[in-house]
Amino acid sequence: MDRRLQRRYVQLVKQHMSSSTRTAAGPMLLPGQSRSATATQAAWRFFNNDRVDMAALADPIRQAGRDAAAESASEFVLLAHDWCKIDYGKHTAKGDVRQLTHEHDIGYDLTTALLVDAGDGAPLAPMQLHVKTADSVYSTAEQPPHVDDHHLDQLEPTMNEVASWDLPRRVVHVIDREGDSLGDYRRWDDLGHKFLVRCDERRVLWEGEPWLISEIVNYFDQGVLFEDVGEAMHHGKTVRQEVAEADIVLHRPHKTRIDGRQHDVCGRALPMRLVVTRLLDDEGYILAQWTLLTNVFGDEVAAHWIARWYYWRWRIESFFKLLKSHGQESEHWLQESGEAVTRRLLVAAMACVVVWQLERDDSPEAEQAKRILMRLSGRSSKRTRPYTAPALLAGYMALLSITDLLENTDCDLRTLKRLAETALPFADS
């Protein structure tokens, strides 16, 4: 981008440092911008400008991810992959929306790869983004996926592209059950990728004998082989976490489709690590249980870290909420094409990265800034979690407004207080 576009980009990121409303026609109006129509038109030109390259918009996000990963105490960094829909069923002006599931489920399909700190689970930066419309895919990738590609088809190119990002830590790809595919496991392992996937039932070899995964889990349970690894959070409550593990081999043929027909392929026997983790309440009742497969073995990472890594996969769900209902309200944006929406998503993503950087910063200055932003946001928070990203976004825009007012008018704090008492004459009653 040239300097003029870079300046506009920085301004738009600041405009997205706010908790938006569903009725907003565009980004928030920054203090000092006297004409909303002018600001809205400038944003429209930026989001629809063919010279604003998707990769260029991704560059500062990826640099922020590299810098944050370099500060991590862990040898590894996680890349969580997931998909969500952006619902535009009521947006008649968007001519390139696609049918996602049923006939009334209309919008765009968003694929994201979110970098997560493997040491504490903090979200760092969305490193890859694809937006699939009716006939195109707008992407930050070197080679965007095809519009007909399945979600799983999008994973391997991103895994391969990671090498070009120069990340300072070893990457482990964390994927939910949609990635439970033996053929993909074999291919990813052949390519040298480390991965962690939540798996369904399947038959495996354990100590040379065939077992169902459910049978192994029952054996762990009956033999009291689960180990207590400390506390975890479940729906906002503190619970106990237990873990058990086994080295297994995936030996059966996998399915593949050739010329429209499904075939069995006898691939190589693949050594894997089965990690079973569960959450229990104070009475020992099992609240949740996950069976995980990974090619990160015990000589590299303890089992309880594998369990935590999968648990932290949910950071990408929080990112989707921040883009949608909990912050940016992207499902109510009025851009009329998937291309413009994608550019705005990348700007909004950078605003999220800025907030995450502030959340991670534990310096005295940052702690003071977070307390002020939370007060300015007017939002309450839990004692165990004093800061939230949506509230920090809301507080940031309020702080910019106050700063602009104090810098560009004759008002001081005493004057502002007197004005507030004049506006609310019953405040002291």
Side-chain angles (χ1 to χ4, degrees):
M1 288 185 290
D2 59 34
R3 289 188 176 182
R4 183 177 63 83
L5 288 176
Q6 286 180 339
R7 288 195 298 270
R8 185 65 196 137
Y9 167 75
V10 172
Q11 189 176 43
L12 281 168
V13 171
K14 288 183 177 180
Q15 286 179 258
H16 284 79
M17 292 286 295
S18 63
S19 186
S20 187
T21 63
R22 296 183 177 186
T23 57
M28 294 289 288
L29 188 67
L30 285 173
Q33 291 181 314
S34 58
R35 297 183 61 186
S36 61
T38 301
T40 300
Q41 183 66 17
W44 184 93
R45 288 196 297 268
F46 184 91
F47 295 136
N48 289 278
N49 191 339
D50 291 338
R51 293 189 296 129
V52 180
D53 183 59
M54 304 292 180
L57 290 177
D59 282 343
I61 300 175
R62 289 176 178 166
Q63 185 59 52
R66 281 190 289 271
D67 293 342
E71 297 174 359
S72 173
S74 175
E75 176 187 354
F76 296 90
V77 68
L78 312 179
L79 195 64
H81 301 260
D82 207 355
W83 306 265
C84 78
K85 69 175 182 178
I86 308 179
D87 188 351
Y88 288 128
K90 297 181 180 179
H91 290 229
T92 57
K94 291 180 173 65
D96 60 350
V97 291
R98 65 184 292 117
Q99 181 176 319
L100 300 172
T101 53
H102 54 79
E103 60 179 335
H104 300 295
D105 189 13
I106 304 297
Y108 301 137
D109 186 50
L110 172 63
T111 299
T112 303
L114 177 69
L115 201 67
V116 177
D117 192 313
D120 61 13
L124 304 180
M127 304 294 284
Q128 191 81 290
L129 185 148
H130 312 308
V131 174
K132 185 186 294 187
T133 68
D135 50 15
S136 299
V137 177
Y138 299 101
S139 174
T140 58
E142 295 174 354
Q143 297 199 357
H146 191 269
V147 71
D148 294 326
D149 283 350
H150 186 271
H151 286 157
L152 278 181
D153 297 328
Q154 299 175 359
L155 286 175
E156 188 176 312
T158 296
M159 290 178 171
N160 295 335
E161 192 177 325
V162 166
S164 67
W165 297 345
D166 296 325
L167 291 172
R169 298 288 184 266
R170 297 173 63 189
V171 177
V172 178
H173 301 272
V174 186
I175 312 160
D176 206 10
R177 281 186 295 187
E178 191 168 357
D180 184 21
S181 166
L182 178 52
D184 288 301
Y185 292 162
R186 285 174 169 144
R187 191 165 56 254
W188 299 340
D189 190 73
D190 287 341
L191 292 169
H193 301 309
K194 296 293 186 180
F195 54 88
L196 167 62
V197 182
R198 182 181 176 186
C199 66
D200 290 318
E201 181 74 296
R202 65 170 64 246
R203 191 170 293 279
V204 302
L205 291 180
W206 183 33
E207 297 182 346
E209 299 293 331
W211 291 69
L212 289 172
I213 286 180
S214 60
E215 293 173 341
I216 298 177
V217 175
N218 289 337
Y219 182 87
F220 289 159
D221 196 24
Q222 295 171 6
V224 196
L225 299 179
F226 280 94
E227 295 183 4
D228 189 314
V229 293
E231 296 180 343
M233 299 299 296
H234 181 69
H235 297 307
K237 296 182 179 180
T238 301
V239 297
R240 303 301 302 176
Q241 184 175 23
E242 294 183 343
V243 169
E245 64 173 316
D247 289 336
I248 62 169
V249 176
L250 303 182
H251 64 296
R252 296 172 65 86
H254 64 263
K255 305 288 186 182
T256 190
R257 188 169 292 276
I258 302 174
D259 296 331
R261 300 183 64 180
Q262 199 170 56
H263 299 266
D264 288 338
V265 177
C266 294
R268 69 179 177 90
L270 180 64
M272 293 282 281
R273 185 183 186 189
L274 172 68
V275 175
V276 184
T277 181
R278 60 189 190 184
L279 305 179
L280 298 87
D281 62 14
D282 293 337
E283 298 178 355
Y285 179 78
I286 299 176
L287 303 173
Q289 180 170 287
W290 300 290
T291 52
L292 311 173
L293 288 176
T294 182
N295 60 348
V296 181
F297 290 95
D299 58 345
E300 298 175 289
V301 172
H304 70 271
W305 280 109
I306 299 296
R308 290 180 187 178
W309 289 353
Y310 178 76
Y311 177 78
W312 290 333
R313 191 201 68 84
W314 289 97
R315 297 292 188 260
I316 198 168
E317 304 289 353
S318 299
F319 172 58
F320 289 149
K321 288 183 179 179
L322 196 56
L323 286 180
K324 298 198 290 186
S325 59
H326 283 51
Q328 301 289 352
E329 295 291 350
S330 60
E331 291 184 326
H332 297 270
W333 291 351
L334 300 182
Q335 281 68 41
E336 297 182 357
S337 71
E339 186 174 10
V341 167
T342 305
R343 290 194 179 96
R344 187 170 177 185
L345 281 171
L346 289 166
V347 170
M350 189 65 213
C352 296
V353 170
V354 173
V355 168
W356 292 337
Q357 289 174 338
L358 180 60
E359 281 189 299
R360 295 194 310 275
D361 192 342
D362 58 359
S363 66
E365 296 81 4
E367 290 297 320
Q368 182 183 23
K370 285 182 278 192
R371 288 195 295 271
I372 291 173
L373 293 180
M374 289 299 295
R375 291 187 65 179
L376 291 175
S377 74
R379 301 188 181 190
S380 59
S381 61
K382 297 180 180 179
R383 183 178 302 175
T384 56
R385 192 183 177 192
Y387 315 118
T388 65
L392 292 175
L393 281 171
Y396 181 84
M397 187 57 66
L399 180 61
L400 283 180
S401 300
I402 293 173
T403 302
D404 179 75
L405 182 65
L406 293 175
E407 289 179 349
N408 296 289
T409 68
D410 295 330
C411 290
D412 56 20
L413 291 178
R414 292 182 179 179
T415 304
L416 289 176
K417 183 177 180 181
R418 186 170 64 252
L419 289 173
E421 292 171 349
T422 302
L424 298 172
F426 52 83
D428 295 329
S429 61

